[in-house]
Amino acid sequence: MQEKVKKTDSGIPILKVYTKKDLPENIDGEIKPGEYPYTRGVQSDMYRGKLWTMRQYAGFSTAEESNQRYHFLLAQGVMGLSVAFDLPTQIGYDPDHSLSEGEVGKVGVSICSLNDMETLFKDIPLDKISTSMTINSTSFILLALYVALAKKRGIDIKQLAGTIQNDILKEYAARGTYIYPPKHSMRIITDIFEWCGANLPKWNSISISGYHIREAGSTAVQEVAFTLSNGKAYVKAALEKGLDINVFGKRLSFFFNAHNNLFEEVAKFRAARKMWAQIMKDLGATDEKALMLRFHTQTGGATLTAQQPMNNISRVTVQTLAAVLGGTQSLHTNGFDEALGLPTQEAASIALRTQQIVAFESGVTDTADPLAGSYFIESLTNQIEKEAFQLIQQIDEMGGSVPAIESGFMQNKIAESAYAYQKNIESKEKIIVGVNEFISENTTTIPILRIDEKIRAEQIDKLQKMKATRNNETVASCLKAIKQAAVENKNLMPLVIDAVEKYCTLGEISDTLRAEFGEYQA
């Protein structure tokens, strides 16, 4: 009986054994970490010089409760905060909007005004930490709130460090929390690039996300191809606006997923760095920092199982190793209970300890790119690069990411991969421990973090009190100025910052632009 060919999760055939003859022809053994094309890492000494930033993605319920979790995480050794926002905040609705019902504070924290932002970051030194905000269609408003808070505290905004995700293209392709049509969304993004380039030198103005593309069911190859293609679209939009690629290119960052296929994931990260350096060079970048792909990683939410949830600790450990061996700059590790609900404090603590054990006990940080030269890793890196570039070429022939998304190309490819993966699980071609094999009859009861339904009423009450005490004539004037800037194609950021300083709400600003730009219908 002929042995079945083993394949990676992207369908790349795996040989029984790899030898020197399987190394790619174009490999250059003399290239070191920190050297173009950065396959081996963006720093010459990698983690011997500085460990990755250890983040824990957190945000739920009210700003008060999230603030308490942030203080807990900082006390446990977290080096940067990563803020999760609830769905109304993500799609531009205040808590009192009818579409917010049942969603306030559920998958993240509810934020609609400068009052909320003050509470969220109470007693947290904004100039001493970095803050990552997972927000897209309303990212410009959340950034404005963060800047307004720093200014109110007397902090020099040039000292602010962090990232807004601000990647709207993957929302159309994989996730769905968009508001405006692509043309207007891209305009807002380039406004952010321009304003941050002049005012926030330490801030990453976008985190181009493959994470959600992978969560939606893509393969590793598709994750790289679609993410880098979206990155090209943002760069081209910025160039068309007249921005300098060597300036804004330094503040681009990426966000990838880490799954369980250890070697494919390591090869994916290495291939992505090499590909992005080539893409940016072709687009005209010459500054080495503008050629570097710097990225945050989150362990795979879609890989977590509700069955035998403690097994997820092992999965997250494998994924942590993949991210670190692949050279990530920042990492969030998921809690073992996240297939059931938001992570409890215990689960979040174990997830952070996983990073710390890998960092300080495993030895994998002692040398840069420790898997370089592996016949298997180098061959796999080359194969992922080759297949991902083939997909990017297809997208380029359609006119780029925006037409590819509008035509449904990316969405269909992701859906096909998700379907094939699920079929493999059901046929047991793919074994998921505790799900389709090694099933236990014993049920495990673990605590689940639940959000009180009365949160919405509390948030509405705070919102109404704030509106009753602000100067509503000034608010109306600010919103009118934003509308005028939208019509005249002026940069929106200064006006939005002024508006949130006057206590305009996220929903009011979003609605002002909805009236001008319209809403996107898939």
Side-chain angles (χ1 to χ4, degrees):
M1 185 177 176
Q2 191 173 8
E3 184 183 15
K4 190 171 181 64
V5 176
K6 289 273 189 183
K7 295 181 179 181
T8 70
D9 288 343
S10 291
I12 298 171
I14 302 173
L15 304 177
K16 271 189 181 180
V17 65
Y18 286 77
T19 64
K20 190 174 182 179
K21 69 179 178 61
D22 297 304
L23 289 173
E25 293 179 5
N26 60 351
I27 189 171
D28 187 344
E30 297 304 311
I31 290 178
K32 297 179 176 63
E35 295 179 0
Y36 180 89
Y38 312 107
T39 315
R40 302 198 60 195
V42 295
Q43 300 292 339
S44 61
D45 53 359
M46 285 304 291
Y47 304 130
R48 284 176 68 138
K50 181 185 177 185
L51 288 175
W52 64 93
T53 301
M54 297 183 191
R55 298 187 186 276
Q56 284 306 110
Y57 185 48
F60 59 94
S61 186
T62 62
E64 289 88 350
E65 287 197 64
S66 292
N67 177 263
Q68 290 171 17
R69 176 65 65 88
Y70 295 155
H71 280 286
F72 167 77
L73 291 170
L74 289 167
Q76 298 301 306
V78 157
M79 296 143 66
L81 298 177
S82 187
V83 184
F85 299 96
D86 69 0
L87 281 174
T89 304
Q90 291 181 47
I91 54 178
Y93 295 121
D94 290 335
D96 58 354
H97 195 284
S98 59
L99 292 178
S100 297
E101 187 173 354
E103 293 295 343
V104 175
K106 289 294 179 69
V107 299
V109 62
S110 173
I111 299 292
C112 72
S113 73
L114 185 54
N115 278 347
D116 290 329
M117 210 66 163
E118 288 182 275
T119 303
L120 185 67
F121 289 100
K122 184 181 179 183
D123 298 326
I124 293 174
L126 302 187
D127 52 345
K128 301 290 193 298
I129 61 156
S130 70
T131 300
S132 172
M133 294 189 276
T134 303
I135 195 74
N136 297 285
S137 58
T138 56
S139 60
F140 64 109
I141 304 173
L142 271 301
L143 177 59
L145 285 165
Y146 197 77
V147 168
L149 176 59
K151 288 172 67 179
K152 190 171 183 180
R153 290 186 182 176
I155 295 170
D156 179 1
I157 65 171
K158 292 186 184 300
Q159 298 305 311
L160 297 179
T163 306
I164 43 171
Q165 192 162 101
N166 195 28
D167 175 8
I168 202 65
L169 290 179
K170 66 94 175 50
E171 295 296 327
Y172 302 116
R175 192 163 173 269
T177 64
Y178 44 73
I179 303 175
Y180 317 112
K183 173 187 173 184
H184 300 294
S185 294
M186 293 293 278
R187 172 260 174 96
I188 292 172
I189 286 169
T190 55
D191 280 359
I192 295 169
F193 285 1
E194 183 178 47
W195 188 85
C196 286
N199 296 281
L200 297 185
K202 295 183 177 181
W203 195 269
N204 297 320
S205 51
I206 194 168
S207 176
I208 305 158
S209 175
Y211 182 85
H212 303 95
I213 290 169
R214 192 68 178 279
E215 288 290 285
S218 82
T219 64
V221 167
Q222 289 169 344
E223 181 187 357
V224 171
F226 296 162
T227 306
L228 299 192
S229 181
N230 289 348
K232 281 180 70 174
Y234 294 127
V235 171
K236 287 183 175 181
L239 289 171
E240 286 171 10
K241 191 161 183 159
L243 303 183
D244 185 344
I245 193 170
N246 286 319
V247 175
F248 73 79
K250 296 176 187 178
R251 305 317 306 171
L252 303 178
S253 66
F254 289 79
F255 175 23
F256 288 113
N257 210 312
H259 272 220
N260 293 327
N261 194 315
L262 178 67
F263 296 116
E264 181 173 49
E265 294 300 295
V266 173
K268 175 188 79 178
F269 297 132
R270 299 175 88 248
R273 268 194 301 270
K274 183 180 180 185
M275 292 171 68
W276 185 246
Q278 183 61 58
I279 287 168
M280 287 295 277
K281 189 175 184 180
D282 291 345
L283 289 169
T286 54
D287 190 297
E288 65 173 24
K289 291 193 180 298
L291 297 169
M292 293 178 180
L293 182 146
R294 297 165 298 110
F295 66 98
H296 169 72
T297 309
Q298 182 174 338
T299 56
T303 69
L304 303 177
T305 65
Q307 302 92 329
Q308 302 178 24
M310 299 303 287
N311 293 345
N312 294 327
I313 297 174
S314 299
R315 293 187 177 101
V316 168
T317 303
V318 171
Q319 294 161 13
T320 299
L321 283 167
V324 173
L325 290 167
T328 193
Q329 277 64 67
S330 170
L331 179 61
H332 162 77
T333 35
N334 289 329
F336 67 83
D337 55 358
E338 288 190 62
L340 300 166
L342 292 169
T344 61
Q345 195 158 289
E346 181 189 24
S349 181
I350 291 171
L352 176 61
R353 294 290 180 253
T354 301
Q355 292 197 54
Q356 291 166 337
I357 289 168
V358 168
F360 298 106
E361 297 185 29
S362 72
V364 298
T365 61
D366 291 345
T367 189
D369 194 23
L371 293 181
S374 156
Y375 302 140
F376 181 35
I377 285 292
E378 296 293 0
S379 174
L380 200 48
T381 300
N382 188 65
Q383 191 63 31
I384 290 172
E385 177 191 359
K386 178 182 173 184
E387 294 192 14
F389 264 136
Q390 287 171 352
L391 267 176
I392 290 174
Q393 185 178 353
Q394 283 183 267
I395 294 168
D396 286 345
E397 288 168 359
M398 296 177 194
S401 278
V402 174
I405 289 166
E406 290 176 334
S407 70
F409 174 78
M410 286 190 193
Q411 298 92 312
N412 290 337
K413 287 288 187 185
I414 293 168
E416 288 167 8
S417 296
Y419 178 68
Y421 188 80
Q422 185 60 33
K423 277 182 67 178
N424 286 340
I425 292 173
E426 291 175 8
S427 67
K428 293 193 176 182
E429 289 282 317
K430 178 77 177 175
I431 299 299
I432 306 295
V433 174
V435 175
N436 63 355
E437 196 60 271
F438 313 110
I439 298 167
S440 172
E441 297 299 321
N442 299 325
T443 57
T444 303
T445 303
I446 60 172
I448 297 174
L449 180 62
R450 301 189 188 279
I451 305 302
D452 198 318
E453 291 293 340
K454 68 181 182 183
I455 291 299
R456 183 180 182 230
E458 293 174 359
Q459 289 297 95
I460 291 173
D461 183 57
K462 284 193 288 186
L463 178 61
Q464 290 173 341
K465 287 177 180 175
M466 186 271 290
K467 286 184 175 181
T469 57
R470 70 185 182 177
N471 185 326
N472 285 299
E473 286 185 10
T474 302
V475 165
S477 177
C478 288
L479 296 175
K480 184 179 178 181
I482 289 171
K483 179 178 176 63
Q484 192 64 28
V487 172
E488 296 175 358
N489 203 29
K490 292 180 179 176
N491 194 304
L492 292 168
M493 280 303 299
L495 295 166
V496 174
I497 293 168
D498 183 54
V500 299
E501 287 177 327
K502 305 298 192 302
Y503 293 91
C504 292
T505 70
L506 174 134
E508 289 169 336
I509 295 168
S510 298
D511 284 346
T512 298
L513 294 177
R514 273 190 183 92
E516 184 57 38
F517 295 155
E519 291 190 76
Y520 179 70
Q521 301 297 323

